[in-house]
């Protein structure tokens, strides 16, 4: 038997403890004591970190709320200016004693020159990367000066695109910058192209850094794409079991992403969970979401389809751009890979489809040689490079290069890959088209509606509240949006001659009813095609500001729109069959709805069948147990609400049904 000298054992233990102590990483946050200025303006104002320049300007009452009326137009000057941020800090003595000290930026948006004590230490150019700089030789114990000079992203991409001419990267100069693409405007979002220190700043001091732990996959996931007698399957196996995915697309929940708190994320994600969703697709024109988002998805059992942040634009093919994206991909995958919620990495949103079928070559008169280069650069990045970079840090999850595989005008889109079917809305097709055109996994489809009327009251003045006013148009970003909405109102809800005579309040109600009808029946058709179809992800769960959009929830307070209640019922495992009669073809009479309030209950009754009964509690910031429901003659319906979401002492209730609106 081998004998160990106790003194030797004690010596080894001491060495181990000493090494552990030396390997300890001490962290010091540097989020306080910041100020900002319009560059070279010489007047500094308090700033918040993490934060964004628009939010700082609002906090200092230097600009109005861009979400109110047409204020978005009035703040466009901000994107053309350069902005400085500065802070002074002391280093904690315990951190200062460490052999190595790193200054870490978890997120700089986007083109930023960083100076520490007068010395340029970093030139950042990617919103989605973490930046680390060894500053041991530069920092002092006290009175350290940190200056960050942000250059206008809009000016920079405009310059880069002009420098490339006549070579042209469709369809927007934003293609050149690694920044949230929706900042440059979208068909549901404002154009608010800002800058800022959008994530945490800190020092980390250590003597010997601990080795990185080996990665262990937190989930067993397989994307099954097998040929069959109808084409090629597309479905997820989670821990060996096929799962039908019921869910939605997720965009940033605020145009100013740093305003989102963990409670905001919780409220938003509970809206998905409570609507019986089991998947969200994090769309590629936004951001890689916060840790809070993925932590909550983990705990709620919501699977995440994770796009990389590319959407609707081709990419530069130069080495610097590829190197930049490589670091972004490896950093983000390493940051997120431990989350069991993530089940798929996807290269981009609609870029393959856009290049091949949106007519860019003719629209922008792209020569064949340039077209070939654009496509080759696309292939190199999304089909060759990104999957290779992912495998270096996470070989456990499937990857697809683009969503969708084929566009909605291509026959193959119904038999293989995932499908974005936009014949509904963009093509003005009826919802029932899905009976013949449901793909294997429908990862985008949708129907628009107005935001809740309570939101319209917040961003308008009384003189704005008439149909298709300029202010309402400012909050409708989709091309010909109102004209398309009116097509569906005419087809499903009301005679076209009556539409122009509607009040904004009634128009809002009817658009939400048609969105309710559309999502309910589209979802039920998709699910009826299982197992041929194995996924239905509607566009979209949420909004980033108050706007007419495809969202089923409202921006303010994340309250439900009518369609949220429809989706909740349609995604149930025991969902009832879809509608067989269009609402406009129903023979309705005056339901003479009555109600009484008892505690947190509203008890309703009608004298005849009532369609889409809308219960509105004035000032209520929560969701009702049900809304926009059908009410049978003589049968009571109890709707409950949560009093904590109601600030007013007296409860004011308004009730309307489809009959009330179409018979005015």
């Amino acid at each position: 038997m081998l004998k160990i000298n106790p003194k030797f054992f004690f010596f080894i233990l001491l060495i181990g403890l000493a090494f552990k102590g030396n390997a300890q990483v001490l962290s010091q946050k540097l989020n306080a004591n910041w100020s900002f200025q319009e560059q070279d303006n010489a007047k500094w104002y308090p700033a918040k970190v993490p934060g964004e320049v628009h939010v700082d300007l609002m906090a200092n009452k230097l600009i109005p709320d861009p979400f109110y009326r047409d204020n978005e137009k009035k703040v466009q000057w901000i994107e053309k200016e350069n902005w400085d941020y500065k802070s002074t800090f002391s280093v904690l003595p315990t951190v200062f004693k460490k052999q190595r000290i790193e200054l870490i930026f978890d997120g700089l948006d986007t083109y930023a020159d960083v100076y520490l004590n007068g010395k340029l230490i970093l030139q950042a150019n990617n919103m989605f990367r973490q930046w680390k700089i060894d500053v041991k030789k530069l920092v002092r114990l006290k009175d350290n000066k940190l200056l960050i000079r942000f250059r206008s992203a809009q000016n920079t991409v405009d310059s880069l695109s002009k420098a490339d001419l006549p070579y042209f990267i469709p369809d927007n100069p934003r293609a050149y910058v690694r920044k949230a693409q929706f900042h440059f405007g979208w068909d549901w979002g404002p154009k608010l192209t800002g800058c800022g220190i959008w994530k945490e700043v800190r020092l980390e001091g250590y003597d010997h850094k601990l080795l990185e732990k080996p990665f262990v996959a937190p989930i067993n996931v397989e994307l099954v794409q097998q040929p069959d007698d109808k084409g090629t399957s597309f479905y997820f196996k989670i821990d060996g079991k096929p799962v039908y995915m019921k869910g939605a697309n997720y965009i940033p929940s605020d145009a100013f992403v740093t305003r989102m708190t963990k409670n905001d994320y919780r409220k938003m994600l509970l809206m998905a969970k409570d609507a019986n969703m089991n998947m969200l697709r994090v769309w590629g024109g936004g951001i890689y979401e916060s840790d809070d988002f993925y932590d909550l998805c983990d705990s709620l059992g919501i699977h995440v389809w994770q796009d990389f942040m590319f959407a609707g634009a081709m990419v530069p093919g130069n080495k610097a751009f590829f190197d930049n994206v490589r670091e972004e991909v490896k950093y983000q995958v390493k940051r997120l890979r431990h989350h069991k919620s993530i089940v798929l990495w996807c290269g981009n949103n609609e870029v393959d489809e856009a290049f091949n079928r949106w007519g860019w070559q003719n629209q922008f008169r792209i020569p064949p040689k340039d077209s070939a280069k654009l496509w080759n650069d696309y292939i190199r990045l999304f089909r060759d490079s990104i999957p290779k970079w992912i495998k270096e840090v996470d070989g456990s999850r499937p990857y697809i290069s683009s969503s969708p595989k084929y566009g909605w005008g291509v026959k193959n889109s119904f038999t293989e890959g995932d499908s974005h079917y936009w014949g509904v809305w963009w093509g003005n097709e009826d919802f029932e088209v899905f009976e013949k055109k449901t793909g294997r996994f429908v990862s985008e489809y949708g129907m628009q509606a107005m935001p809740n009327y309570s939101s319209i009251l917040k961003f308008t003045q009384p003189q704005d509240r008439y149909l298709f006013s300029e202010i309402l148009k400012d909050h409708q970003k989709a091309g010909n949006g109102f004209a398309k909405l009116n097509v569906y109102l005419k087809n499903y809800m009301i005679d076209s001659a009556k539409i122009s005579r509607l009040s904004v309040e009634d128009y809002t109600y009817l658009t939400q009813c048609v969105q309710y009808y559309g999502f309910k029946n589209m979802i039920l058709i998709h699910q009826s095609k299982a197992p041929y179809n194995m996924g239905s992800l509607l566009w979209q769960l949420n909004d980033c500001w108050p706007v007419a959009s495809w969202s089923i929830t409202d921006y303010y307070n994340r309250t439900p729109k009518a369609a949220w209640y429809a989706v909740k019922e349609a995604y149930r495992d025991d969902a009832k069959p879809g509608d067989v009669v269009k609402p406009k073809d129903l023979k309705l009479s005056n339901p003479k709805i009555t109600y009484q309030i008892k505690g947190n209950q509203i008890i309703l009754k009608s004298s005849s069948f009532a369609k889409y009964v809308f219960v509105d509690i004035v000032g209520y910031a929560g969701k009702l147990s049900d809304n926009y429901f059908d009410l049978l003659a003589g049968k009571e319906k109890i709707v409950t609400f949560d009093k904590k979401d109601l600030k007013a002492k007296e409860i004011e209730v308004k009730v309307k049904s489809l009959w009330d609106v179409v018979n005015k």
Side-chain angles (χ1 to χ4, degrees), residues 175-192:
Y176 287 88
V177 62
R178 298 308 303 137
K179 174 177 172 63
Q181 299 290 278
F182 86 109
H183 283 171
F184 295 86
W186 220 264
D187 58 5
W188 39 256
K191 188 179 192 306
L192 296 167

Side-chain angles (χ1 to χ4, degrees), residues 217-403:
I219 188 169
N220 177 14
V221 56
E222 181 184 0
L223 177 59
V224 182
Q225 299 185 82
Q226 295 284 349
D228 56 28
D229 60 342
K230 296 181 178 68
T232 303
S233 66
F234 190 106
Y235 68 91
F236 291 89
K237 272 188 179 179
I238 308 295
D239 293 329
K241 295 180 180 179
V243 178
Y244 189 99
M245 295 301 181
K246 306 174 183 183
N249 286 262
Y250 185 91
I251 66 169
S253 283
D254 200 307
F256 304 120
V257 295
T258 61
R259 297 201 294 201
M260 289 293 290
T261 66
K262 187 168 186 176
N263 284 336
D264 293 329
Y265 279 116
R266 181 179 288 108
K267 187 165 188 176
M268 194 69 260
L269 291 171
L270 282 173
M271 291 299 288
K273 184 69 175 178
D274 292 347
N276 297 307
M277 296 182 183
N278 64 2
M279 176 174 268
L280 292 175
R281 172 178 174 240
V282 177
W283 169 76
I287 61 171
Y288 303 96
E289 276 297 343
S290 77
D291 293 335
D292 290 336
F293 175 90
Y294 300 100
D295 288 341
L296 287 162
C297 286
D298 289 346
S299 65
L300 292 170
I302 296 174
H303 303 301
V304 173
W305 167 316
Q306 179 66 53
D307 280 4
F308 289 96
M309 292 302 118
F310 297 88
M314 299 302 282
V315 293
N318 58 73
K319 183 178 182 299
F321 186 86
F322 270 58
D323 289 347
N324 199 356
V325 173
R326 181 187 68 239
E327 296 307 310
E328 169 190 327
V329 168
K330 292 177 76 170
Y331 167 68
Q332 292 293 346
V333 173
K334 285 181 74 172
R335 180 176 80 90
L336 300 175
R337 64 187 179 182
H338 69 279
H339 289 285
K340 65 180 181 180
S341 53
I342 296 178
V343 297
L344 179 72
W345 303 114
C346 175
N348 67 72
N349 171 75
E350 295 186 345
V351 182
D352 187 318
E353 151 71 3
F355 186 77
N356 286 297
R357 279 168 286 276
W358 287 5
W360 279 344
Q361 288 80 357
N362 291 330
Q363 179 185 349
F364 301 116
R365 299 179 181 177
I366 301 173
K369 182 181 177 182
D370 289 351
S371 183
K373 181 184 182 325
L374 284 164
W375 184 242
N376 181 60
D377 291 340
Y378 172 90
I379 293 291
R380 283 197 302 120
L381 184 60
F382 294 107
R383 297 190 187 175
D384 299 336
S385 300
I386 290 180
K388 182 186 77 174
W389 298 332
I390 293 171
K391 281 185 178 179
E392 291 175 11
V393 286
D394 176 19
S396 69
R397 290 176 176 88
Y399 169 82
I400 60 174
S401 61
S402 185
S403 178

Side-chain angles (χ1 to χ4, degrees), residues 598-663:
K598 288 186 178 180
N600 71 330
Q601 294 184 338
I602 303 171
I603 305 165
L604 301 103
K605 188 182 281 189
S606 66
S607 60
S608 62
F609 174 73
K611 188 73 177 172
Y612 297 139
V613 177
F614 171 44
V615 180
D616 181 23
I617 305 176
V618 178
Y620 184 58
K623 62 178 183 286
L624 302 179
S625 59
D626 199 2
N627 215 343
Y628 295 87
F629 48 81
D630 295 345
L631 191 55
L632 299 177
K635 188 173 181 180
E636 282 189 350
K637 170 78 174 183
I638 297 176
V639 174
T640 61
F641 60 94
D642 192 335
K643 284 191 171 182
K644 77 176 190 314
D645 290 322
L646 187 61
K647 293 180 180 178
K649 292 180 181 179
E650 293 186 12
I651 299 174
E652 182 183 351
V653 174
K654 297 179 180 179
V655 178
K656 72 170 68 172
S657 70
L658 185 61
W659 187 90
D660 298 313
V661 173
V662 299
N663 287 284

Side-chain angles (χ1 to χ4, degrees), residues 34 140 150 277 303 347 421 444 446 513 567 584 594 598 655:
W34 285 90
R140 304 184 284 257
F150 287 99
M277 296 182 183
H303 303 301
Y421 192 75
E444 274 193 32
C513 288
V567 170
K584 70 175 291 184
T594 59
K598 288 186 178 180
V655 178

Side-chain angles (χ1 to χ4, degrees), residues 267-268 270-271 274-275 450-455 508 512 515-516 541 551-568 614-616 620-628 645:
K267 187 165 188 176
M268 194 69 260
L270 282 173
M271 291 299 288
D274 292 347
M450 294 288 280
N452 289 340
Y453 190 64
S454 58
S455 289
T508 295
Q512 293 213 9
Q515 190 187 39
Y516 181 113
L541 175 66
S551 176
I552 62 170
T553 61
D554 200 65
Y555 170 74
Y556 290 116
N557 296 311
R558 314 299 168 188
T559 49
K561 288 163 69 170
W564 183 86
Y565 295 95
V567 170
K568 178 183 178 182
F614 171 44
V615 180
D616 181 23
Y620 184 58
K623 62 178 183 286
L624 302 179
S625 59
D626 199 2
N627 215 343
Y628 295 87
D645 290 322

Side-chain angles (χ1 to χ4, degrees), residues 73-90:
K73 296 175 182 176
K74 299 173 183 176
V75 299
Q76 291 304 300
W77 62 272
I78 295 166
E79 70 178 30
K80 297 290 189 180
E81 301 301 325
N82 302 321
W83 299 90
D84 290 343
Y85 279 73
K86 70 176 182 180
S87 178
T88 302
F89 66 93
S90 297

